[in-house]
């Protein structure tokens, strides 16, 4: 076998071994910013021969004589020149490339783990830039991604195109990543949004649809990838601070107003500080960030304090071209009190139900060593590793310590500029020691390969993955998943795409083994839980637009997602009379086969109405129809003759989904001033767990949680507006005033969980 591999490598790379006796070298920079450009494609006589390294440098060997050398890079005008080389001559050519001001593209990496124009990818993607995140004083990334069309977060669980409902702190069909490394915890497979370094973001990339081939089990429903920034040629230092106060919440239901302010004449505030610095120090790239946050909470008894520190390093070796190594680090400690259920939907909307508050202290740390080697001839190798530790302590005997060890070796090769191959091997180990889940070991091994080919006006993408998971001594079978897609550049600025992808998700340790209670609410284990499978299909189109100074795009996609053995938490009465945990609570079930169909549309536009007036706007609409396909046989689960886990709606509509979502944002900039307003609308959840409206919880929480009462008089959706304004006093100082929940609209996101009232925030940002 070894001899066959050696022979194959010799055949693949023999064309690169031709003798060369002359060379041309130099550095490629951005003409406007003088930043060195990484990854510029270099061709000699129309044959691609290499790319620039991390410092924008290149050194190409070629034969003596006359040649046409060409440099090409996304978002820049190509540059070509006729050069003449004598035998053994070493020529130096430094090039300044000009940015193409007509370029409408956004460059993304997540779709294929290499740089592509977003309109060339074969799946639906959205990108969120850091400017909007900063301008809205985003304190956790959970708030930021709520503005992306088709994406919402319910109780910390990310949901793309209705793929997930409400799951209490365990399991995710969306893979959340930072720089391609998973952020899901080892025990619950959930995301700690406040752990993601908001202060250091290049952009947020969201893939909609099954992405298990490249990103593994938890990418059944999509991927949210937070990309951090490397240092520029000039050092950057940023410091920001803010303070906010909560307004008086007033709630009206059935024509009657309720004053929900429980804090009397006091003032409830939150405040925070963040720091960011990036710098190149000779061969070392260094990024340092920190954040402190203190929130007194808008619900009685709820509070949070946290501190976060992160550092990214990369060393570029001088003596070995293309070799770099580094360690990324992020740690956070937080403490506070968790709020689970409101006392009722009126006078006690911001008061906790009996015995549902719990004090906690948690520490999360990841350490990510990596090595990267890029060689123009043989391709690039990336070794990425991670140690991710989560420690949770609380006053309810639910302590847990979960360690995740991640190893991935990735190989990538571009062949003749139009074919990109990406393959990899990975291994994940999980070690959980917990009062909450018990002690368990888990793991995953996988191998994947994907190819992306550009041919004339077409882009083809296809890939596959094999994966095997285990928990303790239970080893799952080897599972293959596949995906493919096509993108067709039909006309100028017009792109059509279609894709189909399989997905697979193995149950988390928490979903299988959790056994605890929150006050009178019980969370039950289900050791019989089976993995779920999915199939995602879509057809979409993107139209780029440019009229004079205005540019933008329209994107529309229709999709169909199918799931077998879908796992969902159901809230009902569980346990036998002899069970000390008998009561009302959650249990994860395989509810059977489901289907979600829908449409996703978005538009973005920006331009100038006057030389000093700049306008940008975006809007997105998502409509879904989620159905339980074998409702009667799989979804009605009677346990001990008590009560079933059916929903409040007698139809087969999936629970905890909003059928329609509409989001938008408009900003206007005049000289040093900027005003902006954003909104998000979610239609009423048609179906929730039946127990919430049946009155059976009233015995556990007298006089009742009021959920049925709320739904009776709250039959429409929820629209939330946020306002922002800023004044750039100088290039180094910006003042902002922000109003979150502008209309002071009081609403439940999920049952018994009232959301924040209006909040006034002042912010100042310093740039050095």
């Amino acid at each position: 076998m070894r001899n066959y591999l050696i022979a194959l490598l010799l055949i693949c790379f023999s064309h690169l071994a031709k003798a060369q006796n002359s060379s041309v070298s130099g550095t490629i920079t951005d003409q406007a910013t003088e930043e060195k450009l990484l990854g510029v494609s270099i061709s000699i006589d129309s044959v691609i021969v290499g790319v620039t390294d991390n410092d924008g440098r290149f050194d190409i060997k070629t034969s003596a004589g006359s040649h046409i050398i060409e440099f090409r890079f996304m978002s820049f005008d190509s540059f070509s020149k006729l050069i003449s080389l004598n035998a053994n001559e070493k020529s130096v050519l430094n090039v300044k490339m000009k940015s193409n001001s007509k370029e409408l593209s956004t460059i993304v990496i997540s779709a294929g783990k290499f740089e592509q124009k977003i309109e060339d990818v074969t799946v639906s993607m959205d990108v969120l830039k850091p400017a909007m995140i900063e301008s809205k004083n985003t304190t956790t990334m959970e708030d930021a991604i709520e503005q992306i069309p088709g994406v919402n977060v319910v109780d910390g669980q990310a949901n793309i195109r209705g793929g997930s409902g409400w799951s209490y702190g365990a399991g995710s069909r969306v893979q959340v990543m930072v720089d391609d490394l998973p952020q899901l915890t080892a025990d619950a497979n959930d995301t700690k949004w406040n752990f993601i370094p908001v202060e250091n973001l290049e952009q947020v990339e969201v893939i909609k649809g099954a992405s298990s081939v490249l990103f593994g089990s938890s990418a059944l429903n999509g991927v949210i990838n937070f990309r951090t920034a490397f240092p520029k040629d000039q050092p950057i230092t940023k410091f920001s601070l803010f303070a906010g106060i909560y307004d008086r919440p007033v709630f009206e239901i059935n024509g009657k107003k309720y004053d929900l302010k429980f804090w009397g004449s006091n003032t409830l505030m939150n405040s925070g500080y963040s720091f960011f610095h990036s710098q190149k120090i000779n061969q070392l790239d260094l990024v340092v960030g920190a954040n402190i946050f203190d929130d007194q909470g808008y619900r009685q008894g709820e509070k949070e304090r946290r501190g976060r520190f992160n550092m990214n390093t990369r060393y570029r070796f001088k003596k070995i071209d293309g070799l770099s190594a580094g360690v990324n680090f992020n740690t956070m400690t937080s403490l506070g009190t968790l709020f689970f259920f409101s006392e009722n939907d009126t006078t006690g909307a911001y008061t906790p139900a009996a015995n549902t508050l719990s004090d906690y202290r948690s520490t999360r740390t990841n350490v990510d060593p990596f090595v990267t080697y890029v060689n123009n001839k043989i391709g690039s190798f990336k070794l990425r590793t991670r140690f991710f530790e989560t420690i949770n302590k609380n006053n309810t005997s639910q302590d847990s310590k979960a360690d995740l060890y991640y190893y991935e070796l990735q190989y990538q090769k571009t062949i003749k500029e139009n074919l990109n191959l990406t393959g990899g091997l990975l291994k994940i180990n999980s070690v959980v020691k917990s009062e909450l889940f018990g002690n368990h070991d888990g793991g995953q091994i996988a191998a994947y390969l994907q190819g992306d080919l550009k041919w004339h006006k077409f882009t083809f993408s296809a890939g596959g993955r094999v994966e095997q998971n285990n928990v303790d001594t239970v080893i799952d079978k080897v599972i293959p998943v596949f995906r493919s897609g096509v993108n067709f550049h039909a006309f100028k600025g017009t792109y059509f795409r279609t894709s189909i992808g399989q997905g697979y998700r193995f149950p988390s340790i928490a979903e299988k083994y959790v056994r605890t209670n929150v006050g009178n609410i019980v969370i039950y284990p289900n050791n019989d839980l089976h993995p779920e499978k999915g199939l995602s299909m879509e057809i979409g189109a993107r139209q780029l637009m440019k009229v004079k100074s205005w540019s933008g795009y329209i994107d529309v996609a229709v999709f169909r997602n199918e799931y077998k053995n879908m796992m969902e938490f159901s809230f009902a009465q569980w346990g036998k009379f002899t069970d000390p945990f008998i009561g009302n609570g959650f249990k994860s079930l395989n509810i059977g086969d489901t289907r979600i169909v829908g449409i996703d549309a978005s538009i973005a536009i920006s331009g100038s109405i006057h030389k000093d007036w700049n306008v940008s706007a975006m809007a997105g609409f998502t409509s879904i129809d989620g159905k339980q396909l074998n409702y009667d046989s799989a979804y009605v689960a009677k346990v001990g003759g008590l009560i079933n886990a059916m929903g409040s709606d007698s139809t087969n509509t999936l629970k905890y989904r909003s059928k329609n979502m509409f989001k938008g944002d408009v900003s206007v900039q005049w000289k040093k001033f900027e005003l902006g307003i954003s909104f998000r609308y979610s239609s009423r959840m048609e179906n929730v767990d039946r127990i919430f409206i049946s009155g059976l919880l009233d015995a556990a929480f007298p006089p009742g949680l009021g959920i049925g009462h709320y739904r009776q008089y709250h039959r429409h959706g929820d629209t939330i507006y946020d306002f922002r304004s800023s004044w750039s006093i100088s290039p180094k100082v910006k003042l902002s005033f922000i109003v979150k929940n502008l209309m002071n609209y009081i609403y439940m996101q999920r049952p018994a969980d009232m959301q924040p009232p209006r909040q006034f925030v002042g912010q100042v940002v310093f740039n050095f």
Side-chain angles (χ1 to χ4, degrees), residues 103 161 253 399 453 526 539 626 658 674:
E103 181 63 70
R161 290 176 171 175
I253 188 168
D399 292 359
L453 172 67
N526 186 356
I539 299 175
S658 295
E674 183 176 1

Side-chain angles (χ1 to χ4, degrees), residues 345-390:
D345 68 320
T346 53
T347 56
Y350 288 106
T351 303
N355 302 316
T356 58
L357 287 178
S358 62
D359 296 330
Y360 71 90
R361 182 184 182 91
S362 67
T363 302
R364 297 180 177 88
T365 303
N366 68 259
V367 183
D368 308 333
F370 66 90
V371 178
T372 301
Y373 178 65
V374 180
N375 186 289
N376 291 332
K377 295 182 179 180
I378 64 174
S380 67
F381 296 86
K382 297 179 181 178
L383 175 62
R384 295 180 296 188
T385 62
R386 158 164 288 189
F387 170 69
F388 184 16
E389 182 177 72
T390 304

Side-chain angles (χ1 to χ4, degrees), residues 38-54:
L38 162 67
V40 177
S41 173
I42 306 161
S43 300
I44 291 184
D45 298 331
S46 300
V47 177
I48 187 169
V49 292
V51 295
T52 55
D53 64 12
N54 294 328

